[in-house]
Amino acid sequence: MPANAPCAHIRAIKTVKLPKKRECEECVKIGASWVHLRTCQECGKTLCCDDSPNKHASKHARASGHPVIASAEPGERWLYCYPDDAFFEY
């Protein structure tokens, strides 16, 4: 597979799930703040990135087995696969 080709997990995404709200669902519950947001492409949860103190998106990926997130930041159009450490702009 060429270096810029998406992995199988990313290729399986037919329609990119967008955030329902621009907030980390888990940070809101505990009154925490976040840096950037990511949306799980399996279940649609929007959670905070690894630059945020609580790293909810990657914790969710490990706990749930949901492999792919999309940036939930305005103007950003990319996907990331945790198991394959693969990044793909669309």
Side-chain angles (χ1 to χ4, degrees):
M1 178 183 324
N4 61 350
C7 69
H9 296 112
I10 290 174
R11 284 194 313 270
I13 305 298
K14 300 303 178 204
T15 304
V16 174
K17 289 178 175 62
L18 301 174
K20 292 175 182 78
K21 292 185 177 180
R22 297 222 186 266
E23 61 187 24
C24 174
E25 296 178 24
E26 296 302 318
C27 284
V28 168
K29 290 178 188 175
I30 61 173
S33 60
W34 56 86
V35 178
H36 299 289
L37 298 170
R38 311 294 180 232
T39 300
C40 176
Q41 294 302 291
E42 186 107 2
C43 68
K45 286 185 98 165
T46 297
L47 302 162
C48 60
C49 71
D50 281 358
D51 288 335
S52 301
N54 292 296
K55 304 178 183 184
H56 285 122
S58 59
K59 288 178 182 175
H60 171 75
R62 283 192 302 277
S64 66
H66 297 170
V68 180
I69 56 167
S71 174
E73 296 299 311
E76 292 185 1
R77 295 176 50 92
W78 56 261
L79 299 166
Y80 177 76
C81 175
Y82 286 103
D84 295 320
D85 189 24
F87 177 84
F88 181 73
E89 291 182 282
Y90 63 93

